[in-house]
Amino acid sequence: MTDVLEVKNLKTYFFTDEGIVKAVDDVSFRVPKGKTLGLVGESGCGKSVTAMSIARLVSPPGRIAGGEILLNGRDLIPLSEKEMRQVRGAQISMIFQEPMTALNPVLTVGFQIAEAVLAHEKVSKNEALARAVDAMKAVSIPDPEKRAKDYPHQLSGGMRQRIMIAMALVCQPALVIADEPTTALDVTIQAQILELLDSLRERYQLSLILISHDLGVIAEVAETVAVMYAGKIVEIGPVMDVFHSPKHPYTEGLLRSVPRLGASVETGGKKDRLYAIEGMVPNLLRLPSGCSFAPRCYKKTEECTLCEIPLEPLSGVEARKVRCIHA
């Protein structure tokens, strides 16, 4: 199966007055055509910076310090800003978590979708608007011809997120990056948006990177999951394998801290305390030596703190990789 995206040893650092923040440090993964990769981890682990790096949207003092980002075999890192503008929207699209801040409040939503077409294709304004209405139809917006004339504030949160998806898909890109696309929405709308993304991925054979801290969302939609901690991938593999038998203590902790329905019934009605991972996320300016997770880990031995732990395949399973000497 062909890989639409291959990220190799990506490093994105922020050069601050206090020192270098390694927000993304030696991250590698691939996304095959028509498949979904889930990126999970707690806030500040580098998920969004990874996404921004792929779209080359990291602003100073941050910059990509090394690695390769291959989109259909073409490395995006050496491209000029002018060349990147032709890639963004046409070949890579992003769906952000806050549609109200991502949409322009003074332009109609139809015009904003049409603008994406006009930026990348030589078509008339009327044709671009017709394409915008078609895109709105594809994301199940009722009465799209009428809705295209609405402004963002006239639409509900779920509708605005659908507009963002329509905008991302109107030029039929090869890769869509959805950064927490359901965070600002209520639960029933979340499910609809995820179903929509999944059905559009199948229909258009899109490759999708779904960023979320919600493990249920990832289990529902992704084939592969990459778990990030302190700027590094600590575990990667097929989603069901990773969730059924996590090999990294951090993945284990994340899965155990998900609240379960009926948990207090199992313990004879006693209120179950929610599991929490001990300790705090490390300061990226002063990372501990060796494994970044070692200070919070129940399996920690002295060996863990001696040197950098590589991300290695599990014995006999090439698809599963873990950054832990106890795996």
Side-chain angles (χ1 to χ4, degrees), residues 107-119:
L107 299 174
T108 63
V109 292
F111 178 75
Q112 292 187 59
I113 300 170
E115 235 179 359
V117 182
L118 293 167

Side-chain angles (χ1 to χ4, degrees), residues 13-148:
Y13 297 168
F14 286 78
F15 297 86
T16 69
D17 296 341
E18 289 174 54
I20 298 172
V21 175
K22 297 181 175 182
V24 174
D25 194 13
D26 200 22
V27 162
S28 302
F29 57 80
R30 47 184 52 193
V31 189
K33 186 175 171 61
K35 298 294 181 190
T36 303
L37 170 86
L39 264 186
V40 296
E42 56 204 310
S43 299
C45 69
K47 307 186 298 288
S48 293
V49 179
T50 302
M52 291 300 207
S53 303
I54 294 167
R56 289 268 314 273
L57 289 170
V58 177
S59 42
R63 67 166 187 264
I64 295 173
E68 294 176 275
I69 299 166
L70 303 171
L71 184 70
N72 289 322
R74 179 193 191 195
D75 191 1
L76 301 182
I77 294 177
L79 299 188
S80 68
E81 184 48 39
K82 188 182 176 202
E83 290 172 308
M84 252 337 275
R85 276 204 293 271
Q86 285 157 358
V87 172
R88 279 185 221 116
Q91 293 167 46
I92 294 180
S93 282
M94 285 194 78
I95 301 164
F96 296 100
Q97 55 180 309
E98 267 300 339
M100 203 53 194
T101 50
L103 291 167
N104 189 327
V106 297
L107 299 174
T108 63
V109 292
F111 178 75
Q112 292 187 59
I113 300 170
E115 235 179 359
V117 182
L118 293 167
H120 294 287
E121 297 174 35
K122 290 183 167 62
V123 295
S124 69
K125 209 169 169 185
N126 286 343
E127 196 179 325
L129 281 165
R131 288 265 297 276
V133 170
D134 286 344
M136 288 171 71
K137 208 173 283 171
V139 297
S140 314
I141 288 179
D143 201 359
E145 289 86 354
K146 183 167 164 286
R147 284 298 194 177

Side-chain angles (χ1 to χ4, degrees), residues 157-284:
M159 284 287 194
R160 286 197 289 264
Q161 195 57 290
R162 284 169 193 266
I163 294 292
M164 291 294 297
I165 295 170
M167 207 183 286
L169 297 184
V170 71
C171 293
Q172 296 185 340
L175 176 73
V176 174
I177 302 170
D179 188 358
E180 304 267 9
T182 59
T183 302
L185 308 172
D186 63 49
V187 180
T188 48
I189 306 292
Q190 276 189 18
Q192 290 172 14
I193 294 291
L194 288 171
E195 243 168 73
L196 174 68
L197 271 174
D198 207 32
S199 66
L200 292 169
R201 175 189 63 78
E202 272 187 22
R203 190 193 310 175
Y204 298 118
Q205 277 297 292
L206 296 167
S207 298
L208 182 65
I209 294 178
L210 182 62
I211 296 173
S212 182
H213 55 256
D214 187 331
L215 301 174
V217 164
I218 298 293
E220 188 87 10
V221 182
E223 284 90 12
T224 307
V225 62
V227 182
M228 284 188 78
Y229 183 78
K232 294 185 187 302
I233 288 178
V234 293
E235 183 162 4
I236 187 167
V239 76
M240 285 310 159
D241 294 0
V242 172
F243 285 0
H244 284 310
S245 65
K247 298 295 182 218
H248 194 283
Y250 177 62
T251 315
E252 249 175 74
L254 276 185
L255 289 162
R256 283 176 62 191
S257 56
V258 176
R260 287 195 4 256
L261 275 176
S264 56
V265 178
E266 290 165 25
T267 54
K270 285 203 303 289
K271 280 275 182 284
D272 250 13
R273 283 201 66 133
L274 257 180
Y275 175 81
I277 302 172
E278 300 283 308
M280 293 294 290
V281 181
N283 180 341
L284 292 179

